[in-house]
Amino acid sequence: MSPDVWSSPAAALAGVWVAAGLTLMAFTYLVGDNPLYRIVEHLLIGIAAAYGLVVAVQEVLLPHVVAPLGSGAGYALLPGLALGLFLLTPGSARHRSWGTLAVAFLVGTTAGLGLSGALSGTLVPQTLAAAGLLRTEVIGGAGLLSGLVAVVGTVLTLLYFHLGERPSLGPWALPSWLWVGLRGSGYLLLMATLGGLFAATAGSRFALLVARLDFLLSQWLHLI
Amino acid sequence: MSRPSRQEPSANPLLGGLQDALPLEPSLELPRLLPTPLGERENGYLAPPYEEHAARSAPTPARSAWRRLGYLLAYLLVLVVALSGYFVRSGESVPPSSDLVRFTTFLQSLPGGTPVLVAVEYGLAGAGEIDPLLSRVLDHLALRSAGLLTVSTQPQGIGVAERMTTGYPAPVESLGLLPGEAAGARLSALHGPPVGALLIVTDNPHAFQVWVEQAVGRLGVPAAAVLSLGLRPQARAYEQSGQLRAVVAGLGAAAQYESLLGRPGVGRRGLDSLLALSGLLIGAILAGNVAELLHRRRAKHES
């Protein structure tokens, strides 16, 4: 079938109707689990798996493995290809241990890249940035205040997780009311943070709902 | 060496000698039907609350009908509130936030001639939120005649990138799928073609972290991010440290961008609905807290 067929107005119209139908079928889950929702669920999983396979073959295996090997210039790929084939060996009781080698290589590489990336991309830059927050000549008074609020907030939140006895310095014990107040402040900060994260997630999901409704109203029903 | 003795047949020959062969789930769901280390007396202590709970949570037909009606009303309320934004629209343009001003300044400052590397790391689940925003960002890049290099470490990102860049007036080249997440991102940073800037487009916290950690410093070019609203707090730290020059997130930013470019679209249309839904959520949280407070006070009074 020629690609023009898929880009024709009739195909676009059919696509809109199919998408609208599937959207409404997915919404039927609101009144409970039902066959219509199950059909959509199975379609989504099946299409996603098939799409992933096609992309892996088309975007990775064919251009990066088959084509170089076919042209005779891909001998450097052979170790990687062998490791990839080793991943298929768990199906064989005799060669199962070969797969361990490939998995070990994958885990080791991922851990190494992750560790070096976390150090150079997060830990060091963030530490330097946090140190810079306390320099008023760089960021001004508002930045300094922001940094202090961050430090105090962090300490108070950590205090909430202190489950041991009230701290004391020799004979001077922290007053009970102060200790309860500090831990209570940490609890409030924690709840405020979780509330903020929840609000962001809820806003994100609302946006999805709005986008679906927008699709139904504008592209399907042409009401707006 | 003595051989292990044969297992003695038990009352249940199928599971004889196989301790812990059953999955954990039945022992969690049916604590009183399985033998436990507790004695009969302790089991007796557990029994009344368990039975009370089971009796309390078992829905009677009348309660089930009320519950269904309640859910139906709640769904209708959400639908009405969500649609209200479309039919009762304020019609005013949305002023740009400081985030958007920073972002547009960043795009304006990009050097001409070198393409922008766009890491597309979201799928259909994030499309509703990110598509409108990315469309406006691409409109802005098109005004600057910036070429694009698209790349993704997820299969779904390839399709999204192709869909979003269809009809883009400047040259677009796809670097395809880079498998291996961290390895793929680092590979594109170290061995990819030269680029003028990096644009991370994602709703996935892990993918965002991977691109910032593996590619931003190594590419040596300015970077910015187009994110879902849920990722905005995570990006703030990288923005403050200077690793990201600018960040825009969510449908609100899309509405602001549309107003700025004079091209109304989904963002502007949906913003009023989004605000109405947020108001509904706040109202529901407040009502729930007040109801809980009244319930506790009444229970305390009765006890």
Side-chain angles (χ1 to χ4, degrees):
Chain A
M1 199 177 285
S2 82
D4 293 340
V5 172
W6 296 110
S7 57
S8 66
L13 184 66
V16 167
W17 274 86
V18 168
L22 292 175
T23 302
L24 293 177
M25 285 164 74
F27 277 148
T28 60
Y29 186 74
L30 292 173
V31 292
D33 201 0
N34 63 78
L36 291 177
Y37 172 74
R38 287 295 178 93
I39 290 172
V40 176
E41 191 181 33
H42 287 74
L43 268 176
L44 179 67
I45 294 170
I47 291 172
Y51 176 76
L53 178 68
V54 169
V55 169
V57 170
Q58 207 169 29
E59 296 282 336
V60 181
L61 290 177
L62 290 179
H64 298 302
V65 179
V66 176
L69 286 176
S71 66
Y75 295 115
L77 294 171
L78 288 178
L81 186 62
L83 285 173
L85 291 174
F86 285 177
L87 284 174
L88 303 175
T89 56
S92 156
R94 192 176 168 191
H95 303 107
R96 187 171 295 165
S97 58
W98 293 10
T100 311
L101 185 66
V103 172
F105 180 79
L106 280 177
V107 171
T109 311
T110 306
L113 286 172
L115 184 65
S116 67
L119 282 173
S120 63
T122 296
L123 195 63
V124 173
Q126 290 300 314
T127 307
L128 292 174
L133 274 178
L134 298 176
R135 291 162 55 193
T136 49
E137 71 274 18
V138 176
I139 45 149
L144 179 66
L145 184 66
S146 168
L148 284 175
V149 167
V151 169
V152 171
T154 305
V155 171
L156 287 176
T157 307
L158 288 174
L159 277 182
Y160 172 68
F161 292 100
H162 181 89
L163 302 175
E165 288 184 1
R166 221 173 346 136
S168 61
L169 189 64
W172 296 284
L174 204 63
S176 174
W177 59 268
L178 183 59
W179 179 236
V180 171
L182 289 174
R183 291 190 68 222
S185 306
Y187 175 76
L188 287 178
L189 281 170
L190 194 63
M191 288 301 111
T193 306
L194 291 177
L197 290 174
F198 172 73
T201 306
S204 188
R205 298 302 175 264
F206 280 159
L208 287 179
L209 174 65
V210 167
R212 279 295 83 194
L213 290 176
D214 190 274
F215 164 76
L216 292 174
L217 292 174
S218 62
Q219 294 187 45
W220 186 46
L221 298 173
H222 301 287
L223 288 177
I224 51 175
Chain B
M1 186 184 291
S2 64
R3 298 182 63 176
S5 61
R6 192 166 174 268
Q7 293 283 351
E8 290 295 322
S10 67
N12 184 351
L14 285 174
L15 300 175
L18 293 175
Q19 289 185 353
D20 300 328
L22 290 171
L24 192 61
E25 191 178 352
S27 63
L28 291 173
E29 289 194 343
L30 304 169
R32 296 195 63 233
L33 301 182
L34 293 172
T36 68
L38 299 175
E40 284 299 316
R41 194 166 57 91
E42 289 82 357
N43 269 331
Y45 287 143
L46 288 176
Y50 176 71
E51 284 174 353
E52 278 174 21
H53 173 73
R56 205 168 49 235
S57 57
T60 60
R63 186 186 291 172
S64 178
W66 278 111
R67 182 174 290 182
R68 277 177 179 274
L69 187 64
Y71 276 125
L72 194 62
L73 286 175
Y75 296 148
L76 281 175
L77 185 63
V78 169
L79 186 64
V80 167
V81 170
L83 291 176
S84 68
Y86 283 89
F87 299 107
V88 189
R89 203 175 300 161
S90 60
E92 297 167 3
S93 65
V94 188
S97 65
S98 57
D99 279 354
L100 187 65
V101 171
R102 256 197 311 278
F103 192 85
T104 51
T105 308
F106 166 76
L107 291 191
Q108 287 295 121
S109 69
L110 290 180
T114 48
V116 176
L117 180 63
V118 186
V120 182
E121 302 283 358
Y122 72 97
L124 296 178
E129 194 177 8
I130 300 183
D131 273 2
L133 184 53
L134 182 58
S135 295
R136 297 293 81 84
V137 172
L138 292 178
D139 285 347
H140 193 166
L141 285 169
L143 290 175
R144 302 265 307 150
S145 303
L148 300 180
L149 282 173
T150 61
V151 68
S152 182
T153 62
Q154 306 170 12
Q156 52 189 358
I158 302 298
V160 172
E162 190 180 335
R163 178 170 56 83
M164 294 302 292
T165 55
T166 301
Y168 186 78
V172 179
E173 188 183 344
S174 172
L175 297 181
L177 177 71
L178 292 175
E181 295 183 344
R186 187 178 286 204
L187 190 72
S188 75
L190 295 178
H191 301 293
V195 293
L198 169 65
L199 200 59
I200 304 167
V201 188
T202 184
D203 65 338
N204 181 336
H206 179 66
F208 173 69
Q209 192 93 13
V210 160
W211 275 100
V212 170
E213 291 183 345
Q214 304 291 343
V216 167
R218 289 179 176 83
L219 272 172
V221 296
V226 176
L227 306 173
S228 63
L229 196 62
L231 269 184
R232 187 64 187 89
Q234 188 179 342
R236 197 166 293 282
Y238 294 107
E239 199 182 4
Q240 286 178 344
S241 67
Q243 290 168 278
L244 294 176
R245 294 282 180 86
V247 176
V248 282
L251 211 56
Q256 294 165 16
Y257 226 137
E258 287 168 3
S259 293
L260 197 69
L261 296 175
R263 295 179 183 179
V266 182
R268 182 65 195 90
R269 287 202 301 267
L271 186 63
D272 290 333
S273 292
L274 194 64
L275 291 175
L277 280 169
S278 303
L280 179 68
L281 181 68
I282 292 169
I285 290 172
L286 287 175
N289 276 286
V290 168
E292 174 67 15
L293 200 67
L294 293 175
H295 176 72
R296 281 190 190 180
R297 186 170 288 180
R298 195 172 55 204
K300 191 178 175 183
H301 183 69
E302 286 174 358
S303 67

